[in-house]
Amino acid sequence: MDGHGALDGVRILELTTGIAGPFAGMLLADHGAEVLTVDLVTADPVADAADGQAVWDRGKTRVTLDLSSDAGRRWLADRLPATDALLVSRLPVAGTAWDQRTLTEMFPALEILVMPPYLDIDGSTPWAGGAESHGLLSATAGTAYSQGSADDVPVELVYPHLLYVQGIWAATVLVAALVERQRSGTGQLITVAGMHGMTEGAAAAMVHAPGTPRTHQPGGPGGPIPFYRPYRCADGQWLFLACLTPNFFMKAFE
């Protein structure tokens, strides 16, 4: 960093797993925050997260910690008084009994950002296992079925955009809470869950007229929108056209 970021001097402790939490921490570090990210040895790994870890760790310091041990809990307790924000995937904090009440009583100025995979801060999910999963979040929320580029079938998206939007929104509301703390001097409990990422990133796809049955749209499995769908070309190869404004799709058709 060049020492002139908007979040210079802000200290963040990141204890999240998966994609959304580390992505939020990356954005905060990009803007100058001092982010210490902790590998929890008791945490379940998330398979989808491995490929992007090198990117999401940029600008951060990483340590490995066992919070089920006395030494690990002491290490965390020693650092929280000097920490501005704590990022966790769920409460209580993994490996400890530290819930919302405990944390707010011990550290009243601490901003606590909880990023559960579905909605509840305890991390409970309507799918088995409780781990973050973009595919299962999309299926549960309905966004896998409401795609302009396909019709009548759900789509398994290769790009976990709901989790990225969850991370962007989490970083945004945390900055708002830090600004508010300058006035009140008190931290807040903030929850930005996977379903919040869905409502921010895919709300338009979920708008349907009440009582109107879903009907088959022309265009086949590629979807009904001519400027946002795949086309098979004369050489047998496929082109996905994604031209969302008239200026671009008229040029593409020409």
Side-chain angles (χ1 to χ4, degrees):
M1 300 303 297
D2 60 8
H4 299 287
L7 298 178
D8 281 355
V10 174
R11 290 155 297 190
I12 294 173
L13 193 58
E14 178 195 300
L15 278 74
T16 60
T17 59
I19 295 174
F23 190 76
M26 178 200 75
L27 295 175
L28 296 165
D30 284 349
H31 288 84
E34 179 185 322
V35 180
L36 179 60
T37 184
V38 178
D39 271 328
L40 299 174
V41 297
T42 57
D44 294 328
V46 178
D48 294 342
D51 291 341
Q53 199 69 60
V55 174
W56 307 326
D57 277 352
R58 69 189 185 205
K60 304 177 184 178
T61 301
R62 174 174 287 276
V63 299
T64 300
L65 193 65
D66 182 3
L67 289 180
S68 65
S69 68
D70 291 339
R73 288 190 293 271
R74 284 196 303 270
W75 184 96
L76 185 61
D78 289 343
R79 278 155 183 79
L80 282 176
T83 298
D84 294 296
L86 173 67
L87 276 60
V88 294
S89 296
R90 64 194 67 195
L91 287 177
V93 178
T96 76
W98 290 5
D99 56 11
Q100 174 189 351
R101 181 176 179 179
T102 302
L103 286 168
T104 53
E105 288 180 351
M106 293 173 63
F107 314 104
L110 181 67
E111 304 286 4
I112 306 166
L113 174 59
V114 188
M115 300 182 63
Y118 179 61
L119 193 58
D120 297 327
I121 62 173
D122 65 358
S124 59
T125 63
W127 56 81
E132 180 191 85
S133 169
H134 186 265
L136 293 173
L137 175 64
S138 299
T140 302
T143 54
Y145 193 60
S146 299
Q147 296 294 320
S149 58
D151 189 41
D152 285 350
V153 293
V155 174
E156 172 69 36
L157 300 173
V158 297
Y159 178 73
H161 71 286
L162 298 184
L163 301 182
Y164 289 132
V165 174
Q166 181 187 357
I168 294 168
W169 188 234
T172 301
V173 298
L174 177 59
V175 170
L178 289 168
V179 171
E180 192 282 332
R181 192 183 65 171
Q182 292 179 329
R183 177 188 62 81
S184 67
T186 303
Q188 302 181 53
L189 174 71
I190 309 157
T191 303
V192 179
M195 285 296 284
H196 296 134
M198 187 282 290
T199 57
E200 282 294 313
M206 306 304 295
V207 177
H208 302 284
T212 303
R214 184 181 176 92
T215 58
H216 177 73
Q217 300 292 322
I225 306 174
F227 49 82
Y228 193 81
R229 58 159 296 152
Y231 288 92
R232 191 170 188 178
C233 304
D235 60 1
Q237 299 298 308
W238 287 85
L239 168 71
F240 192 100
L241 188 66
C243 298
L244 301 182
T245 63
N247 181 48
F248 290 111
F249 64 68
M250 291 307 298
K251 289 181 178 178
F253 292 156
E254 290 172 3

